[in-house]
Each structure stands twice: as C-alpha cells, then as structure tokens.
Amino acid sequence: MDYKQLIILISLFCFCNPLITYACRYTIREIGYSDIGASTHYLYVFTNSETSEKEISTIKKLSHALLNETNVLLKLFNVDKEKTTQVADKLVKYNIESFPSAAFVFPEGAHMIFSLDQPGRSLNESVWILLEALFNSTFRHSIQEELIQAYCVVLVVEGTNKQQNKNVLLEVKEAVREISMTLDQMPKIVDSPPVILVLPHINIQDERLLLMSLGINEREAERPSVAILYGRGRMMGSVLQGDVISRDIILNLLTVVGADCECGLDQSWILGRMIPMRWETKVQSEITKNLGFDVENPLIKSEMSQILSLKPTPNNLLDPMGSNLLGYSEGKLDIKRSPEYVSKISASEVHKSFFQTKTSKNNLVFKAILTGFGGILLIVLVLFLFIQYKRRKVLH
C-alpha cells in the first residue's frame, strides 16, 4: 500500500468519524414520537372464585392481542385467592363491591370504574368490548392521524358558554397562524402546521377517557380548555383553562414543541404525559418516513436517552410559561388557578429568545466538529510526512 492509498483510507475514516454525531440534534417533537419515558396506564380487572381458569386464560390472551401496541397494561386480581394488603387497598381505593369489575387507572392517580357483569354477555365478551372501547374512538383516531404528519395538534374542548368557546378558538387560531409563519426557522423544518381539533361539548361524555387522561374532570369540563398534543400523543405542559388561555401562552407552547431537545427545558416538559393510544407498527413506519429516521432504532433511542439524562443547569432553564421562557417545574405551576403566571412578553420576544438559544447551541456544535476534523487532518499530515521520510530513507 503506497502513501496515496493510505491517505484515501484516512480521508474516508474522517467522513465516517463519530465526531459527526455531535451535529445530530433532535427536537422535542421528534423525541415525543419515541416511547422514552412513556407514562403507563393500568387496567385492573378484579375477579373472584366464580371466574374459571379458562376465562382468566382468555382474558390474558385478549390483553396480549389488544394492548400489545399501546401504553396500557392489564393486571388481573382474584380477590378470593390473593388476600393481600395490596389487593384489599385497591378494592377500597377504587370502591370495588361487585365482581367482575375493572378500574382504569391513569398515571397521575385518577381512575374510571367499569362493570364487567353485563346482562347477556360473558366475561370474555365484556373484557373484549372494554379493551376495544379504550382506543376505538373516532375523535382520538383523528388526533392520531393528524399527529403523524402535523407539527402538533391543538385540542380545543368546548365548555357550556358559547361566547367563551368562540373567544378561545379565536386565540388558538391567532397563535397557530403566527407559529405557522415561523416553521421554516425551526431547528428542523416541518411542512405541516399545527392542526386545530375541536371537541364539541355535546360529545364530552363520549370522550371521558380522553379528558381524564388530560387532567380535565367533569366539573372543569364546564369551561373551555386547550391542550397541545405532539409526538406519540404527549401533552405539552398542562391543560390551559380560564384566563391562562391566550395567544401568547399558546404560542409559547407551540414554539417549545419545535425546540432543540438541548434547549434547556426541564425533562418534564420534553417528555409530557401521554394519552391512552394504540401506536401500531404501520403508524411507526409512517413516522419514520416523515422524520427521515426511526425513533425506535436502539442507537437513536440510546442517544436520545443520553441527551435527556443531562440535567439543565438551574440558572439557565427555559420556561414556556415565564416572562423570558426560562425556568419551569410542572409540580410548582398551577396554571388552572393562577392567572399571574400568564406571560407578559410578546410573541416576537419569545421567538427571539428561542432562536438565540438555538444559534448558540449550533455554534458550539460547529466548533466541536471543526476541532475534531482539525485533529484528524493533523494526524494525516504526520503520517504523510512519516511515509515520505521512510521512502527517502529506502531510496538512499
């Protein structure tokens, strides 16, 4: 092998060098499509000694088939065989008095009770219908379809007051219009702007599962609400209600969806709570096609996990609900009751703050790449001079 061939090999090595990965950056929206930090919902099924082993076996098979590609796990409890403190506490907590019954438990602790003792239906039929009903909603299917391609979904849940509904929808449309004009300036360009979906108040009872997963209880459903959904059905921040619903606040949240995952946000913002959703393989394939990479690839998930494991410094945290987009802790913020948290800055200042952060990050990445390639070129030069020296020595 002569020195020319060696230089070619080293040059190829430079292009394949791992330092290039420093240039790889993910947005919050992109990480949202992964199952990293997925919030798990549980379906507890309570039976007694009257339930046959055959029925239990069938329920397990049904759960494997119908819950396999969801963020819901099923757990069976036979109250006559499992007389433990854990089971007894669950019976009291969920007020289970008849068998068989089921309790759907949300990650935050809220729950819904379903009776499985249906006239004219076997236990297996009742469980099958319940498992299908958890995900077979025309409205939630629409949400999933839009999430596949759109920047995000702005969900508007109507209240009882028509004028309030009209005002909220106007604020949402203004925010969506403004963010749509800046999508080409985001760290990763998204061609499809946010989609607005409105859940009419008359249909609220049909979507109780969705509303409770968002943190909206029956009493709060009297007022209009707004939720920003992105990625794999994750919610950005908390549900907006009352005086907190404004163009600027919504615009802040929409801006964060497209932000660099290393922009300084608290991890609770990057990995928002997820609604119950079936995420099939064919859906994931569409996401891969739209993003240009597979978020379920082990190497990519590993890289994302490493990025998220690096906690932002306390003095430089972005806050979508604050006056300068800095500093947020979801546990400390009660946006449903405290209008004083409403941002006082203009939309242009929000974007300016965000894009300055992005530019600073990109400059650091660019410098790291230049430094890496500079070192490699130095090695190439040393090897070249060494080979030349050896050739001259042989000739002499």
Side-chain angles (χ1 to χ4, degrees):
M1 177 186 297
D2 59 22
Y3 74 93
K4 290 183 179 179
Q5 291 175 317
L6 181 61
I7 290 176
I8 291 174
L9 289 176
I10 295 176
S11 298
L12 289 174
F13 170 77
C14 292
F15 283 105
C16 300
N17 190 274
L19 284 170
I20 296 177
T21 59
Y22 280 104
C24 182
R25 287 293 179 267
Y26 304 105
T27 64
I28 293 174
R29 174 177 176 266
E30 290 172 335
I31 288 185
Y33 283 117
S34 73
D35 61 359
I36 299 175
S39 52
T40 304
H41 303 72
Y42 289 95
L43 181 65
Y44 296 142
V45 174
F46 299 93
T47 63
N48 55 18
S49 57
E50 296 181 7
T51 307
S52 68
E53 291 298 325
K54 183 178 180 180
E55 287 177 314
I56 294 297
S57 176
T58 302
I59 291 175
K60 290 179 179 179
K61 292 177 181 177
L62 287 174
S63 67
H64 179 74
L66 300 177
L67 300 180
N68 184 43
E69 296 178 309
T70 72
N71 55 342
V72 177
L73 291 179
L74 181 140
K75 288 191 174 183
L76 290 165
F77 298 99
N78 188 317
V79 297
D80 291 332
K81 293 182 178 180
E82 301 178 59
K83 295 184 178 181
T84 64
T85 303
Q86 180 189 24
V87 174
D89 289 343
K90 282 181 168 53
L91 293 176
V92 174
K93 183 176 182 178
Y94 305 125
N95 195 27
I96 304 296
E97 298 179 348
S98 62
F99 304 96
S101 291
F104 189 89
V105 183
F106 300 91
E108 294 73 26
H111 64 275
M112 295 176 65
I113 304 301
F114 301 91
S115 174
L116 298 177
D117 186 12
Q118 303 291 334
R121 292 177 185 165
S122 66
L123 172 59
N124 293 149
E125 288 175 327
S126 298
V127 171
W128 178 295
I129 292 172
L130 175 57
L131 293 179
E132 285 288 349
L134 294 178
F135 306 98
N136 279 355
S137 155
T138 302
F139 191 79
R140 274 174 280 158
H141 184 66
S142 298
I143 292 176
Q144 184 182 63
E145 283 189 329
E146 298 296 351
L147 286 174
I148 293 174
Q149 293 188 356
Y151 179 79
C152 68
V153 168
V154 184
L155 173 61
V156 178
V157 182
E158 289 187 341
T160 55
N161 189 298
K162 292 185 178 180
Q163 186 57 48
Q164 289 181 354
N165 294 337
K166 185 178 179 180
N167 294 340
V168 166
L169 188 57
L170 181 62
E171 295 291 323
V172 168
K173 288 182 177 179
E174 284 293 316
V176 169
R177 182 187 63 81
E178 184 134 1
I179 195 69
S180 298
M181 295 187 296
T182 66
L183 292 181
D184 59 345
Q185 303 172 42
M186 294 288 182
K188 297 286 183 68
I189 296 177
V190 181
D191 295 328
S192 181
V195 172
I196 303 172
L197 292 180
V198 179
L199 177 61
H201 188 74
I202 193 174
N203 296 335
I204 281 182
Q205 286 302 315
D206 298 332
E207 293 296 339
R208 288 177 58 235
L209 188 75
L210 171 63
L211 296 185
M212 290 193 67
S213 69
L214 296 174
I216 304 175
N217 58 42
E218 192 171 341
R219 179 178 57 82
E220 291 172 328
E222 297 291 320
R223 299 184 297 168
S225 307
V226 175
I228 311 297
L229 301 177
Y230 68 101
R232 192 181 290 210
R234 299 181 188 269
M235 183 167 66
M236 175 53 65
S238 301
V239 170
L240 306 181
Q241 289 185 320
D243 296 336
V244 180
I245 301 177
S246 68
R247 187 205 66 162
D248 288 342
I249 288 292
I250 298 170
L251 184 57
N252 283 9
L253 296 176
L254 293 176
T255 302
V256 170
V257 171
D260 191 305
C261 66
E262 293 184 344
C263 62
L265 276 171
D266 186 272
Q267 185 168 316
S268 61
W269 279 91
I270 299 176
L271 300 176
R273 63 196 287 181
M274 300 170 67
I275 63 176
M277 185 171 287
R278 177 175 284 123
W279 205 255
E280 299 172 331
T281 303
K282 62 179 181 180
V283 175
Q284 189 60 41
S285 297
E286 286 190 63
I287 295 298
T288 300
K289 181 179 178 181
N290 293 335
L291 295 181
F293 63 91
D294 184 7
V295 294
E296 293 304 310
N297 182 294
L299 294 177
I300 291 178
K301 287 181 69 173
S302 175
E303 184 181 1
M304 288 180 173
S305 297
Q306 289 178 358
I307 292 172
L308 295 177
S309 67
L310 301 175
K311 301 295 183 182
T313 56
N315 296 326
N316 189 28
L317 293 174
L318 293 180
D319 178 11
M321 303 297 293
S323 60
N324 60 352
L325 215 59
L326 298 174
Y328 173 78
S329 174
E330 192 168 345
K332 300 292 184 180
L333 181 63
D334 187 359
I335 64 173
K336 295 180 182 178
R337 304 182 182 86
S338 305
E340 61 268 305
Y341 285 104
V342 176
S343 173
K344 300 297 190 298
I345 60 174
S346 66
S348 61
E349 289 174 320
V350 174
H351 292 125
K352 182 179 178 182
S353 173
F354 164 66
F355 292 123
Q356 282 179 342
T357 303
K358 179 198 71 172
T359 303
S360 175
K361 285 285 183 181
N362 289 341
N363 287 339
L364 290 175
V365 172
F366 186 64
K367 290 179 180 177
I369 295 173
L370 286 180
T371 302
F373 275 111
I376 293 173
L377 290 175
L378 180 61
I379 294 174
V380 172
L381 179 60
V382 170
L383 287 173
F384 174 75
L385 293 175
F386 177 76
I387 293 171
Q388 288 289 82
Y389 169 76
K390 284 288 186 181
R391 287 172 62 87
R392 288 185 186 137
K393 189 174 181 180
V394 169
L395 291 175
H396 287 138

